Amino acid sequence: MLGRSAHTLRFISAAGTSYQSARNTWILRRVYAPEPTPPGKVQRNPEELPNLMKLETVEYETLKPAGPLKVILLQDIEGVGHQFDVVDVDRRLARSDLLPTRKAVYASPFDLEYYAKVKEKMADELAKRVRIPYEFICIGRDLQAMIVPVKVSMENKWTINKKVIKTSLRQNGVDMLDDAIFLEDETINGPNFEIEARLIRFYVVVSKQYIVPMLGKITHISVDESKQMLTPDSTRAPTSAQLARFGIKEEQPHYSQTPDIDENFPVVDFMKRKAR
């Protein structure tokens, strides 16, 4: 008599950095096969003879990756997909979050057919939705989390312009073209120690589609270390009240479905109108 028994466990992947689902499978056989129960007789309780409960392994397959789980998303899930997409996801994510919360359902033949019809009925509504690519969202978050030190000279005259902002961004690991940086019309000159640590608003455009509002902080520097300004180095995002001190409003990125945000696009005026 043969029987199958399976259970799921976790193992460290080859990279040693994460856990993945895996399945172990045993094929078992009785060591002592019981005699058939005669017709009309009551089957004997196996516990009377412990030997009848002994099993031996015929075949053993171990550490076989269970693989991802195919699901249908019932709503947009950041980093996974959009509503009604059929996607392969990690089993743990599916079973611990997506399926119990009804964010997704198993991609069974019935549900595939059912939600395909629902998607077809909602085609016009879905086409009107603006869906920002996930990579743009990630880039925007990283850029908005930065307060870029705009380093200016204590001794030499300067004016805040695209070149200064571009250099400041590069010093913080961000490379942008001149035509992807936009500043307000206000002229800021120096040296002027009264505006030390002042926050300024500027915008960068990613791939001519995604406008990201950013913040810079004016920081006077000198080659003479004895003249360095003592300014608190805070990387914490400023509050609305702190922004208001410098006439700055909280703003969110803007996404265009077509790559038409070039150097001639009125980025500053457009974003100011959105922030009102």
Side-chain angles (χ1 to χ4, degrees), residues 106-127:
Y106 287 107
S108 65
F110 173 84
D111 282 335
L112 284 170
E113 181 179 355
Y114 174 78
Y115 286 106
K117 293 178 181 178
V118 175
K119 182 178 181 179
E120 186 176 350
K121 291 179 181 178
M122 295 178 60
D124 292 339
E125 178 185 340
L126 294 173

Side-chain angles (χ1 to χ4, degrees), residues 47-275:
E47 293 183 359
E48 294 179 4
L49 294 174
N51 283 340
L52 296 182
M53 302 179 67
K54 292 181 179 179
L55 302 172
E56 63 180 349
T57 301
V58 176
E59 187 178 330
Y60 174 47
E61 188 175 26
T62 184
L63 298 183
K64 180 180 179 181
L69 199 63
K70 191 178 292 293
V71 299
I72 306 168
L73 299 180
L74 301 185
Q75 63 187 66
D76 292 352
I77 305 295
E78 188 175 294
V80 179
H82 299 303
Q83 187 177 18
F84 302 129
D85 284 353
V86 180
V87 295
D88 292 324
V89 298
D90 180 80
R91 287 174 177 265
R92 188 185 307 176
L93 173 64
R95 290 172 174 165
S96 64
D97 181 24
L98 301 183
L99 296 173
T101 58
R102 293 291 297 173
K103 295 175 183 175
V105 295
Y106 287 107
S108 65
F110 173 84
D111 282 335
L112 284 170
E113 181 179 355
Y114 174 78
Y115 286 106
K117 293 178 181 178
V118 175
K119 182 178 181 179
E120 186 176 350
K121 291 179 181 178
M122 295 178 60
D124 292 339
E125 178 185 340
L126 294 173
K128 294 177 182 177
R129 294 183 185 177
V130 177
R131 288 169 163 171
I132 304 174
Y134 182 59
E135 57 269 24
F136 282 1
I137 294 175
C138 293
I139 292 172
R141 282 179 182 164
D142 290 342
L143 293 177
Q144 285 199 290
M146 300 172 60
I147 300 179
V148 181
V150 181
K151 297 180 179 179
V152 291
S153 174
M154 285 185 178
E155 295 90 4
N156 303 318
K157 292 183 179 180
W158 49 262
T159 299
I160 300 296
N161 54 29
K162 289 186 177 183
K163 183 177 180 180
V164 173
I165 297 297
K166 179 180 178 180
T167 301
S168 300
L169 285 169
R170 181 170 293 174
Q171 290 173 343
N172 283 268
V174 180
D175 281 322
M176 300 295 297
L177 298 175
D178 289 348
D179 58 6
I181 300 172
F182 295 83
L183 296 166
E184 297 183 8
D185 292 334
E186 178 187 5
T187 300
I188 303 177
N189 296 320
N192 183 354
F193 302 119
E194 292 183 359
I195 60 173
E196 173 67 18
R198 172 183 169 178
L199 295 179
I200 60 173
R201 171 71 81 195
F202 64 93
Y203 304 89
V204 298
V205 178
V206 179
S207 300
K208 295 186 177 182
Q209 286 186 267
Y210 201 48
I211 304 174
V212 182
M214 295 189 65
L215 290 172
K217 183 169 68 173
I218 296 177
T219 305
H220 287 82
I221 60 173
S222 173
V223 293
D224 185 349
E225 294 185 0
S226 64
K227 295 182 179 180
Q228 300 302 325
M229 299 287 291
L230 297 178
T231 304
D233 183 17
S234 175
T235 57
R236 183 178 301 176
T239 63
S240 299
Q242 290 172 327
L243 291 175
R245 287 175 50 201
F246 303 103
I248 299 174
K249 293 183 179 180
E250 291 184 343
E251 298 181 52
Q252 298 301 320
H254 170 76
Y255 173 70
S256 171
Q257 292 180 295
T258 56
D260 54 6
I261 306 176
D262 55 19
E263 64 273 15
N264 298 317
F265 189 90
V267 170
V268 176
D269 291 340
F270 175 80
M271 294 298 287
K272 292 298 182 185
R273 287 196 300 270
K274 281 194 63 178

